[in-house]
Amino acid sequence: MNLPLEGIKVIDFTGVQAGPACTQLMAWFGADVLKVERLSGGDVTRRQLRDIPDVDALYFTQLNSNKKSLAVDTKTPEGKKIMEQLIREADVLVENFAPGAMDRMGFSWEHIQELNPTLIYGSVKGFNDQSPYSDLKVYENVAQCAGGAASTTGFWDGPPTVSAAALGDSNSGMHLAIGILTALIGRQKTGKGQKISVAMQDCVLNLCRVKLRDQLRLERVGYLEEYPQYPNGVFTDVVPRGGNAGGGGQPGWVLKCKGWEGDPNAYIYFTIQEQDWEQTCQALGKPEWITDPAYSTARARQPHIFEIFADIEKWLADKTKYEAIDKLRPYGVPCAPVLSMKEIAYDPALRASRTIVEVPHKQRGSYLTVGSPIKFSGFTPEITSSPLLGEHTGEVLAGLGYSPEQIARLREKKVLLKDGAADTHPEHNTLALASK
């Protein structure tokens, strides 16, 4: 099968999550992605939160499928020469080092352009160059806080709350992938490469645009009618935390189902949609709500919204979350069960759609990972294993014209790691965090 990105060569100079998420997406769609790693341990996520001693951690395997690995010491003259050869032949280079790191390594954007003027250079940083925080190290939750997500998440009587979804990391990787693919299309027209930068703060904000919308509305009218604080609460001059309220103007809440006392996920999310109010009332056995002046319009319902939700919970009390969904489905009520990660991991539909896949691994035997969330009519991405550290060293160097003897000498000089070498440093099996 010919994949859309087949023939595109990508140098993956990234670690942890944001950059690897970007390059993994490109690898799924056919790009030849070469992960360039340090000799000592490689990508730090290979050893973070390990569940099996001396085996690549799931953190690494789930972000680096379909890639190749070259372990090389880029600080040596020989290592820099290898990098320059790779850059001359590549279409894309992606990095998420700390600001200035690539320049200090001798691979500034200007030098890269000299080596290959058609190369697309993708970069992830915590903050953009104009930010007063541009020199700070940034991790997932830092980005969520700086991008506005945390201040608007959680309950009004509690602190700002970060999301479990990787809004700072994987989200930034997806934005960068869009930028790189756009630049590749642009190169077809101009013949020139360009540099694409994304900042994690900016990418979080892009997903929080409806909260920015709410800030502007709040400044104009002084209240937000779809928030639980309306009409009896007090609004300040900033967007408040709204708990589990819907962000799009359709009131919704997480409601208890049968078994909630012993199951922390025995809940559904229930949305009261204006255009479906009559059907919702019929589903709940409350036809009198349809004409009740206190309930008949969205504006009338808002002061009573938690009374309505309390009555719905009474209806849910003898139904599991799955039974409730089955009863609500025919009426077109927007709702979903709150699924645990265990339920998702073993969901037959997600496995059938290859949204979740089992992948063979040389050391693990196999591991569960995410598949492509993007589905195509013309092809289905095949998810393959993440590489062992330096697994493709010989193959890559041979492709650059190095003889077996030259490769052996470079290994003796510790410029290269032997193919598929395991991480033999016990001190790496820690919870230490890596710098982005």
Side-chain angles (χ1 to χ4, degrees):
M1 182 183 296
N2 293 323
L3 299 177
L5 297 185
E6 201 168 281
I8 299 295
K9 294 184 177 181
V10 180
I11 299 172
D12 181 352
F13 227 174
T14 72
V16 193
Q17 187 175 165
C22 168
T23 52
Q24 178 172 255
L25 193 73
M26 298 184 71
W28 286 345
F29 303 156
D32 182 4
V33 177
L34 176 64
K35 191 172 182 73
V36 179
E37 303 184 73
R38 297 170 299 177
L39 300 185
S40 178
D43 186 328
V44 70
T45 58
R46 285 185 181 273
R47 55 200 184 265
Q48 277 187 338
L49 306 175
R50 274 177 167 157
D51 57 320
I52 303 175
D54 301 322
V55 172
D56 287 338
L58 291 166
Y59 196 178
F60 177 84
T61 65
Q62 292 192 348
L63 285 156
N64 293 281
S65 56
N66 294 59
K67 301 178 185 180
K68 298 177 180 178
S69 173
L70 165 69
V72 58
D73 185 353
T74 58
K75 296 179 181 179
T76 64
E78 297 91 343
K80 287 183 179 179
K81 180 183 176 182
I82 291 169
M83 277 302 304
E84 289 183 346
Q85 289 176 275
L86 291 171
I87 289 169
R88 287 191 182 97
E89 297 186 5
D91 296 285
V92 177
L93 184 149
V94 186
E95 60 89 9
N96 62 342
F97 291 119
M102 286 291 286
D103 291 355
R104 292 189 293 273
M105 290 170 61
F107 294 104
S108 66
W109 168 232
E110 291 74 20
H111 182 47
I112 287 173
Q113 282 185 301
E114 292 172 357
L115 294 170
N116 184 351
T118 67
L119 184 125
I120 307 299
Y121 181 119
S123 177
V124 182
K125 296 291 180 283
F127 298 92
N128 64 50
D129 292 341
Q130 287 70 45
S131 171
Y133 310 117
S134 60
D135 59 335
L136 295 180
K137 293 180 180 179
V138 177
Y139 302 104
E140 172 65 52
N141 293 345
V142 175
Q144 289 195 31
C145 290
S151 71
T152 56
T153 303
F155 285 84
W156 43 88
D157 56 353
T161 305
V162 296
S163 169
L167 305 180
D169 271 323
S170 284
N171 168 45
S172 298
M174 301 302 101
H175 277 82
L176 182 59
I178 293 169
I180 290 170
L181 296 176
T182 302
L184 285 170
I185 294 172
R187 189 179 70 174
Q188 294 174 359
K189 301 176 181 179
T190 67
K192 297 179 180 179
Q194 59 179 302
K195 184 176 182 179
I196 300 103
S197 299
V198 301
M200 294 168 72
Q201 180 190 38
D202 300 354
C203 294
V204 172
L205 174 58
N206 192 37
L207 294 192
C208 292
R209 66 184 72 176
V210 296
K211 298 301 182 180
L212 180 60
R213 171 206 67 186
D214 292 347
Q215 181 63 39
L216 301 177
R217 291 171 54 225
L218 181 62
E219 291 175 7
R220 184 172 295 276
V221 300
Y223 61 90
L224 299 168
E225 62 187 30
E226 77 280 14
Y227 278 63
Q229 290 85 339
Y230 179 86
N232 301 316
V234 176
F235 286 90
T236 66
D237 61 350
V238 299
V239 175
R241 290 183 275 283
N244 288 315
Q250 304 293 345
W253 207 253
V254 173
L255 302 178
K256 300 171 184 173
C257 294
K258 180 181 178 181
W260 67 271
E261 300 91 342
D263 181 356
N265 295 299
Y267 291 79
I268 68 169
Y269 195 87
F270 192 105
T271 303
I272 298 173
Q273 197 166 21
E274 174 65 9
Q275 60 266 39
D276 296 325
W277 175 241
E278 183 173 337
Q279 299 96 297
T280 299
C281 295
Q282 297 290 358
L284 297 171
K286 293 285 188 178
E288 67 274 15
W289 283 359
I290 298 171
T291 55
D292 187 332
Y295 288 178
S296 59
T297 67
R299 187 174 292 274
R301 285 192 293 274
Q302 189 61 30
H304 310 288
I305 196 67
F306 284 109
E307 298 168 29
I308 294 171
F309 287 140
D311 280 335
I312 296 173
E313 279 195 334
K314 293 176 184 177
W315 180 83
L316 292 167
D318 63 348
K319 303 171 184 68
T320 68
K321 60 187 178 184
Y322 300 110
E323 292 169 343
I325 297 300
D326 286 342
K327 290 184 178 297
L328 294 168
R329 190 195 314 267
Y331 296 91
V333 177
C335 56
V338 174
L339 296 178
S340 69
M341 293 312 299
K342 183 174 183 178
E343 288 170 305
I344 286 173
Y346 297 99
D347 187 302
L350 290 176
R351 293 199 177 209
S353 67
R354 296 191 60 79
T355 301
I356 294 284
V357 293
E358 288 271 1
V359 178
H361 187 270
K362 289 183 178 179
Q363 292 179 330
R364 287 185 159 273
S366 69
Y367 64 94
L368 189 69
T369 189
V370 295
S372 173
I374 306 168
K375 312 301 181 186
F376 299 86
S377 63
F379 73 100
T380 300
E382 180 185 357
I383 311 302
T384 61
S385 177
S386 61
L388 302 180
L389 178 59
E391 180 177 351
H392 303 90
T393 297
E395 173 189 332
V396 172
L397 270 291
L400 293 176
Y402 286 76
S403 68
E405 294 75 20
Q406 289 173 311
I407 296 172
R409 284 196 294 271
L410 290 173
R411 285 178 176 150
E412 289 173 6
K413 295 180 68 174
K414 298 184 179 179
V415 175
L416 303 175
L417 195 69
K418 67 178 181 178
D419 289 355
D423 180 2
T424 57
H425 300 272
E427 70 274 13
H428 290 160
N429 195 9
T430 68
L431 297 177
L433 293 174
S435 168
K436 284 219 170 43

